[in-house]
Amino acid sequence: MNFLISGGGTGGHIFPAVSIANALRELRPDCKILFVGADNRMEMERVPQAGYDIIGLPVRGFDRRHIWRNISVLWDLRKSLRMARKIIQDFKPDVAIGVGGYASGAAMKAAARMGVPVLLQEQNGFAGVTNKLLKNDAARICVAYEGMERFFPADKIILTGNPVRQNLEGGSRAEAAEYFGLDPEKKTLLIIGGSLGARTINESIISHLPELLDSDIQVIWQTGKTYHDQCKEALNNILDNKEKTADTELSTVFCSAFLSRMDLAYATADLVISRAGASSISELCLLGKPCILVPSPNVAEDHQTHNAMALVRKEAAILVRDVDAGEQLIENAMRVIHNDDKLRHLHDNILLLAQRDSARRIAEEVLALANK
């Protein structure tokens, strides 16, 4: 069987796409898989790193600020549709899988017009523009949240959840304490903001570092590479001042641009502060981690807030809006991390929302379409 997978632009699209490809390869080792992405976007680098071939299209997003520039965007879209048709003619996919992003729109539209069954995977609680435009072309739509009937035909929807990173489970608190240089008996706050970091979260931590350092908790702080130097400098300045005053009773703060052992970070975390991207939320649900979500305001159609609210409505997470983070984030975190009943309540409720084996379940739907 041949499977064409298209989408990208962000890691939130690329990771599920690669996970689905891996699951298809496990179920059908003899299958052929081809990716279609957008030129000069991160999928053109990440997908080959994962061991798959990819073809780039010149497709781009519309410029809403400079309408006149969209003449060239429309020209590239027309060219991309022609290229997508040629790719499908040559590759002859049994099923086309779209995960969102500019390239997915062109590839899935061409596939549907040529009679290839289309399966869409929507990661967020508020459907993306591309998938909404493709809803009538799709045979099946795999979603991660309940209530997606407001975006897609109910008879096409299958609740599968989002694929998550492998090897997130199994780490022990004792191993984590040794790895990060922490005390296994102390409460631990894990702060994650994505590979590039989250400006508001980092600024909130910096402004409350004295309070965190004087508390009885310890912190694992993943700053992202964009903000790491600024965060590390702020932390070192405060620690230097404390050493000068002979105040040695300091809580431990492990500060790093990137966490390579997320399994250990999650294992020791009593509470997590995170953005509300689809992949992050799926991981938190799977691991049952109490969390405070700070949705990014810089995403299309504010979909991170919709993701977060799906948990908040079920008392499975706490929401702090980006604009309020400076005043409320650490105050909320300190209050919750010392409340064992609240932590247990959040843990029990978020665990109920976990969708397991999502990549395999989506792959099985793909194979069912191909066999049909």
Side-chain angles (χ1 to χ4, degrees), residues 97-114:
I97 303 137
V99 298
Y102 305 138
S104 178
M108 295 304 106
K109 181 62 72 173
R113 288 176 177 174
M114 298 175 71

Side-chain angles (χ1 to χ4, degrees), residues 122-142:
E122 175 56 57
Q123 299 93 37
N124 294 294
F126 192 92
V129 174
T130 300
N131 281 346
K132 284 191 289 188
L133 291 173
L134 291 168
K135 64 182 179 182
N136 294 326
D137 298 305
R140 296 183 187 176
I141 305 171
C142 296

Side-chain angles (χ1 to χ4, degrees), residues 254-317:
F254 180 92
C255 180
S256 177
F258 177 74
L259 297 176
S260 58
R261 292 296 305 271
M262 281 304 300
D263 59 326
L264 296 181
Y266 279 131
T268 195
D270 296 283
L271 178 67
V272 180
I273 292 175
S274 174
R275 286 299 199 194
S279 296
S280 296
I281 284 184
S282 295
E283 291 177 359
L284 293 167
C285 290
L286 184 68
L287 298 171
K289 284 297 168 182
C291 59
I292 298 177
L293 301 174
V294 187
S296 171
N298 305 313
V299 294
E301 297 179 296
D302 198 23
H303 69 247
Q304 286 203 7
T305 296
H306 293 278
N307 292 348
M309 287 305 301
L311 273 64
V312 172
R313 282 192 288 268
K314 295 184 179 293
E315 298 184 9

Side-chain angles (χ1 to χ4, degrees), residues 53-268:
D53 294 330
I54 186 169
I55 298 174
L57 304 179
V59 65
R60 294 176 288 143
F62 283 96
D63 191 330
R64 298 181 183 181
R65 294 185 178 180
H66 308 95
I67 302 300
W68 58 273
R69 292 183 181 175
N70 289 320
I71 295 173
S72 63
V73 174
L74 288 169
W75 178 260
D76 286 340
L77 175 59
R78 185 179 177 184
K79 182 179 179 182
S80 296
L81 286 167
R82 287 201 307 269
M83 290 177 63
R85 285 196 293 270
K86 182 67 167 60
I87 292 168
I88 291 165
Q89 285 173 352
D90 294 342
F91 186 63
K92 298 180 175 58
D94 292 278
V95 179
I97 303 137
V99 298
Y102 305 138
S104 178
M108 295 304 106
K109 181 62 72 173
R113 288 176 177 174
M114 298 175 71
V116 178
V118 170
L119 179 143
L120 301 179
Q121 198 256 334
E122 175 56 57
Q123 299 93 37
N124 294 294
F126 192 92
V129 174
T130 300
N131 281 346
K132 284 191 289 188
L133 291 173
L134 291 168
K135 64 182 179 182
N136 294 326
D137 298 305
R140 296 183 187 176
I141 305 171
C142 296
V143 301
Y145 293 91
E146 297 175 349
M148 297 301 284
E149 295 83 1
R150 57 190 172 135
F151 303 111
F152 305 122
D155 60 337
K156 296 182 179 183
I157 293 175
I158 303 166
L159 182 64
T160 58
N162 286 319
V164 300
R165 287 177 284 184
Q166 302 300 307
N167 304 320
L168 286 178
E169 298 179 285
S172 71
R173 195 175 183 98
E175 184 184 0
E178 182 177 354
Y179 180 84
F180 292 110
L182 303 176
D183 182 345
E185 302 301 321
K186 275 189 175 183
K187 290 284 183 72
T188 304
L189 175 65
L190 171 62
I191 304 160
I192 48 179
S195 59
L196 296 178
R199 180 178 60 83
T200 305
I201 292 178
N202 284 326
E203 289 179 351
S204 300
I205 303 306
I206 289 173
S207 64
H208 290 84
L209 272 174
E211 183 180 343
L212 286 170
L213 288 167
D214 287 335
S215 71
D216 57 350
I217 71 167
Q218 53 198 3
V219 179
I220 299 174
W221 184 12
Q222 185 251 309
T223 64
K225 63 181 182 181
T226 305
Y227 304 100
H228 182 63
D229 290 344
Q230 174 189 357
C231 296
K232 192 70 174 178
E233 181 181 3
L235 177 61
N236 288 338
N237 287 339
I238 294 174
L239 290 175
D240 287 344
N241 289 333
K242 281 187 169 290
E243 288 176 1
K244 290 174 184 177
T245 60
D247 185 356
T248 57
E249 295 297 322
L250 304 179
S251 295
T252 302
V253 176
F254 180 92
C255 180
S256 177
F258 177 74
L259 297 176
S260 58
R261 292 296 305 271
M262 281 304 300
D263 59 326
L264 296 181
Y266 279 131
T268 195

